[in-house]
Amino acid sequence: MVYVLLTFASLITGTLALQRTISTDDTGTILTLGATPYFVESTPFQTYYPPQSIFAVSGLLPITSIRSQNTPITKDVLQNQLELFESVDDVWRKDFLKNLVITYDGPAKAFFDNSAISWMREKKVANLYVSENIRSPLFDKTNVAQINKGPPSGPYFFTTPKDTSSIAFFNCYRLFRDEYEAFVFGTIPGPDGSWVATNFTLPTEKDKALYIPIPSRIPLIAKGLPLAGMRFGLKDIYDVEGLPTSAGSHAYGDLHPSSNTTASSIQKLLSLGASLVGKTHTSQFAHAANPWEFVDFPYSWNPRGDGHLTASASSSGSACAIVAYDWLDFAVGSDTRGSIRKPASMVGAYGIRPTHGCFDLDGVVPVSEEMDTAGFFVRDPKLFYLLRKLWYGQVKSTIISRRQTIRNPSKLLYPIDQLPFAVPEAQKLYDNFTQTLQEHIKIIKTPINVTHTLLPYMPDSSFSELYKASNDLAYYNSWHSVGKPTIAAHAPSHHPSFDPVPQRIFKASEALSEADYNRALAIKRKFQQDVLEHFIKSDVKSCSESLFMYDAGTGGRPSYRVEEFNGLDGTAPILLPNAPRQSFQSSSSPGGGAGGPQATDYLYFIASMAGLPEVTIPLGQVPYFSHISRRWEMLPVSVQLVAHKGCDAVLLEVVKKLGELGVAQTVKTGRLAF
């Protein structure tokens, strides 16, 4: 696989003692401020040619740009901007104060009062550049020069040529260590809307951990776009112009080293002002796989608890990233059969699977076009609400209901065949949640046996048959859209190797006929119709008559990334929809089990097969004794809410209300979610 790789070979520590080291392809410089590494692009984004020669500087130096509409420019004006920088940005730091460029954006002329001049002396500013409409102040130890104007507010690097005829400003990125191996590579903007993949590592580190280049929020926020300053990671099944798409497979990545276009769903986010910082790991071709079944690429590390817990399905890289790194605001995944919902539940993050069909999924590696959706993970319920509203709000699809609701859903369908949990602390969280919905949102708990309720809508009244139909849809489509073309493209030189799960799936898929696919599609459409008419019904006043709640996680029990650990006392293996169709025999009961899948282990199939919207809400955390750390750790517990097709906004309003009530809280990064 060929990436456009940016690397560096040495670091020189110190604020002013910076050494410029060119990468192998001459695309930029890596340097440090103190012990913090930065990447500086090789091409300036702005170059000014002052009317008079200015003093020269040696090499690349950090600089802070400040813009003001006030005159006189006072200490308070300058200090307030820097306090704002510190509060919103993790790229800017005080080392950038060694040099200043200040631009006046108001009418007529501006000047510095004595408090501002004293403040700059106190900060020991070495070089000061002011726009031409600012009266130059006098300093004893600070070089002062006038230029046309400075760049947008924020941190940059700059230099001047030896003839001092110009000053050039460069974008910079702080490099953050991908400690949890969530990313395949980092990204920076390239020319003409394209992107460049980065693979930064520190030569001083033996593990050669990946470093992700993170842009400053300050100049991005100044653009005024709805998501300006927001950074996101992207599951590596989405095409982005200029970037490779591997879908977790070296064989596939070799055939797709650089995309010519950007997936329309992702272009919407970029147009809203969000900043892409890298692509995240996925299971191969987005087929659900256990951590020990990852071969071509590593499985990401879930930071929760003892650090050895699984994050479940194919969007695990995005899920791990959002709960690992404060510098990331949201992460995009995909959900076919639980790949947003299960990871969100396992790591304790907010996640959404929207109504199926609300997005065009061009430029996305497909699993099953009948079930694929684009979703995301966040830590903050307010951002969850905003992001869904902005991103999905651009959708012109008639699938999403835009009718104003005048009341909440009346019933909360509570699955007594899955609940209560065996872990009392987890069940208490669920009891408190249902009580809150009843008291404050007036949604009444309605116990149901979901298996018995839905069996009449399943083929032959058997969940195993519904399960097989779901597998047939995913296997047939993935084989003909991805597997078979990838093998053909590598022939006749060699037969590409695949990870264990896709290898089994593709082998099983060779026996599937178009008639098998059409049969499975008919089963899905009949199930969807019955669910919409009889289970989670439409309502004129509330859009969705009821909400269905359940657990997509492990009920407060740990599940580990190492297969053998899941045989230890108190653990709960994750059951994924990855077994070939012939591996299941007829179940001894309609709901599954004894040779077939158990319906209550796959309640996330309901939204997948019926095209329904679903959200994951973190509720809290419960203690478990870790056989790894040999101490008590904390494990996130989350709840799922499912609504009628097109009623995505109803779920978001519930999350918003729960946030106002203090039930839906912002989760933390690291070992503890709360």
Side-chain angles (χ1 to χ4, degrees):
M1 189 179 306
V2 180
Y3 292 170
V4 179
L5 298 182
L6 309 182
T7 62
F8 65 97
S10 63
L11 298 171
I12 301 298
T13 304
T15 304
L16 293 178
L18 300 176
Q19 177 175 317
R20 186 169 188 261
T21 304
I22 305 300
S23 64
T24 54
D25 55 9
D26 199 29
T27 51
T29 301
I30 300 295
L31 43 79
T32 58
L33 294 180
T36 304
Y38 286 83
F39 170 71
V40 185
E41 294 179 347
S42 61
T43 303
F45 71 94
Q46 281 185 352
T47 301
Y48 297 113
Y49 297 88
Q52 297 179 344
S53 294
I54 57 178
F55 50 87
V57 299
S58 177
L60 288 167
L61 296 179
I63 190 168
T64 295
S65 178
I66 295 176
R67 302 185 77 102
S68 174
Q69 295 182 343
N70 300 317
T71 186
I73 300 173
T74 65
K75 170 186 175 180
D76 289 342
V77 169
L78 301 176
Q79 187 64 37
N80 289 343
Q81 285 215 29
L82 296 187
E83 289 174 0
L84 177 64
F85 290 2
E86 284 188 303
S87 67
V88 303
D89 197 36
D90 46 11
V91 175
W92 184 88
R93 50 184 290 168
K94 292 181 180 179
D95 300 87
F96 284 89
L97 276 179
K98 292 296 181 182
N99 304 285
L100 282 177
V101 53
I102 301 176
T103 303
Y104 175 58
D105 292 320
K109 286 269 189 178
F111 66 94
F112 296 101
D113 73 358
N114 290 333
S115 69
I117 294 173
S118 297
W119 181 86
M120 285 186 277
R121 286 197 181 105
E122 178 186 331
K123 299 298 181 183
K124 298 180 180 179
V125 175
N127 299 301
L128 172 65
Y129 301 87
V130 298
S131 59
E132 292 176 330
N133 55 357
I134 298 178
R135 188 187 308 161
S136 291
L138 298 176
F139 288 96
D140 296 330
K141 298 181 180 180
T142 299
N143 297 316
V144 182
Q146 283 191 320
I147 62 173
N148 312 64
K149 61 179 180 179
S153 295
Y156 303 96
F157 280 78
F158 81 104
T159 191
T160 61
K162 292 182 179 180
D163 62 8
T164 67
S165 63
S166 64
I167 180 171
F169 293 94
F170 301 81
N171 284 316
C172 66
Y173 302 81
R174 182 175 173 182
L175 299 180
F176 282 94
R177 194 175 194 268
D178 181 21
E179 181 179 352
Y180 295 95
E181 296 186 274
F183 286 86
V184 185
F185 51 78
T187 57
I188 60 173
D192 303 321
S194 64
W195 292 78
V196 177
T198 67
N199 188 28
F200 295 127
T201 59
L202 292 178
T204 55
E205 296 183 349
K206 293 182 179 180
D207 62 358
K208 299 301 179 184
L210 182 68
Y211 276 74
I212 306 300
I214 301 301
S216 170
R217 300 186 194 274
I218 300 166
L220 298 173
I221 291 173
K223 295 181 179 180
L225 294 170
L227 293 179
M230 293 288 175
R231 307 154 178 162
F232 73 99
L234 179 65
K235 184 176 181 178
D236 190 22
I237 64 170
Y238 291 85
D239 286 344
V240 175
E241 184 180 355
L243 297 181
T245 300
S246 70
S249 165
H250 290 314
Y252 188 87
D254 288 342
L255 302 175
H256 302 84
S258 180
S259 301
N260 294 323
T261 58
T262 297
S264 60
S265 54
I266 304 308
Q267 187 56 56
K268 288 183 174 69
L269 288 173
L270 298 174
S271 298
L272 286 165
S275 298
L276 174 64
V277 299
K279 279 196 172 185
T280 57
H281 283 297
T282 175
S283 58
Q284 201 164 86
F285 306 127
H287 285 293
N290 291 298
W292 52 88
E293 296 172 307
F294 279 56
V295 178
D296 275 8
F297 289 86
Y299 187 84
S300 301
W301 293 85
N302 179 358
R304 300 306 194 197
D306 57 24
H308 290 267
L309 300 173
T310 180
S312 187
S314 69
S315 297
S316 53
S318 288
C320 290
I322 198 61
V323 297
Y325 305 128
D326 288 321
W327 43 262
L328 196 69
D329 298 296
F330 65 95
V332 174
S334 67
D335 191 303
T336 302
R337 297 189 291 171
S339 292
I340 288 282
R341 296 163 287 164
K342 291 188 74 65
S345 180
M346 298 301 293
V347 304
Y350 294 88
I352 182 170
R353 171 199 167 88
T355 292
H356 178 262
C358 72
F359 259 142
D360 288 331
L361 293 180
D362 59 282
V364 185
V365 178
V367 178
S368 170
E369 295 174 354
E370 293 291 333
M371 294 182 284
D372 292 344
T373 60
F376 62 85
F377 304 90
V378 297
R379 297 183 299 272
D380 182 357
K382 292 181 180 178
L383 178 57
F384 187 64
Y385 182 87
L386 174 66
L387 184 56
R388 185 270 164 195
K389 185 177 180 180
L390 290 172
W391 192 19
Y392 300 159
Q394 292 193 348
V395 175
K396 297 180 181 179
S397 172
T398 57
I399 294 173
I400 300 295
S401 173
R402 305 188 189 282
R403 182 188 302 160
Q404 186 71 33
T405 58
I406 60 175
R407 71 180 185 195
N408 293 315
S410 58
K411 293 187 292 184
L412 179 67
L413 304 180
Y414 183 92
I416 59 174
D417 43 342
Q418 189 195 49
L419 301 170
F421 293 131
V423 178
E425 296 91 341
Q427 185 58 39
K428 185 177 180 180
L429 291 172
Y430 267 49
D431 291 342
N432 292 341
F433 176 75
T434 56
Q435 188 67 27
T436 297
L437 290 183
Q438 290 188 108
E439 289 183 2
H440 298 282
I441 309 183
K442 308 305 179 185
I443 305 178
I444 306 303
K445 175 182 175 182
T446 306
I448 62 164
N449 185 309
V450 67
T451 303
H452 291 167
T453 300
L454 293 180
L455 279 179
Y457 314 132
M458 298 181 189
D460 299 330
S461 298
S462 168
F463 176 71
S464 291
E465 290 300 313
L466 185 73
Y467 182 96
K468 287 182 182 180
S470 177
N471 276 358
D472 286 354
L473 290 173
Y475 294 1
Y476 184 89
N477 187 80
S478 182
W479 167 243
H480 286 280
S481 299
V482 181
K484 191 174 181 179
T486 300
I487 293 173
H490 281 275
S493 59
H494 73 285
H495 190 288
S497 62
F498 299 115
D499 285 4
V501 170
Q503 188 174 350
R504 294 197 305 264
I505 286 174
F506 293 158
K507 183 177 180 180
S509 301
E510 292 179 0
L512 288 175
S513 66
E514 186 175 355
D516 293 325
Y517 175 82
N518 289 332
R519 174 185 175 275
L521 184 57
I523 290 172
K524 179 190 181 299
R525 290 177 177 173
K526 178 64 166 59
F527 179 77
Q528 176 175 326
Q529 179 182 350
D530 288 337
V531 166
L532 296 178
E533 291 180 359
H534 305 292
F535 182 52
I536 304 179
K537 295 184 279 190
S538 176
D539 185 87
V540 174
K541 295 182 179 180
S542 60
C543 189
S544 185
E545 179 191 63
S546 59
L547 299 180
F548 171 53
M549 69 173 286
Y550 75 97
D551 175 40
T554 55
R557 295 181 295 166
S559 186
Y560 287 102
R561 60 182 289 125
V562 176
E563 185 175 13
E564 290 75 15
F565 293 172
N566 291 317
L568 299 173
D569 291 341
T571 60
I574 291 290
L575 298 176
L576 300 174
N578 61 358
R581 66 195 297 269
Q582 68 266 30
S583 67
F584 291 116
Q585 302 172 1
S586 297
S587 301
S588 61
S589 65
Q598 186 71 35
T600 50
D601 291 327
Y602 294 92
L603 293 179
Y604 54 92
F605 269 40
I606 297 173
S608 296
M609 291 293 277
L612 309 180
E614 183 174 330
V615 296
T616 306
I617 305 172
L619 295 182
Q621 54 193 7
V622 297
Y624 74 97
F625 184 78
S626 168
H627 295 280
I628 309 301
S629 65
R630 307 300 300 172
R631 66 180 185 183
W632 288 94
E633 304 278 4
M634 300 300 287
L635 180 75
V637 174
S638 304
V639 67
Q640 307 300 126
L641 289 180
V642 188
H644 187 83
K645 184 178 181 180
C647 299
D648 305 50
V650 172
L651 295 173
L652 270 292
E653 290 299 329
V654 170
V655 174
K656 181 181 179 182
K657 181 63 176 178
L658 291 173
E660 294 170 354
L661 294 170
V663 175
Q665 302 179 24
T666 299
V667 298
K668 300 191 297 184
T669 57
R671 290 176 56 245
L672 300 175
F674 297 94

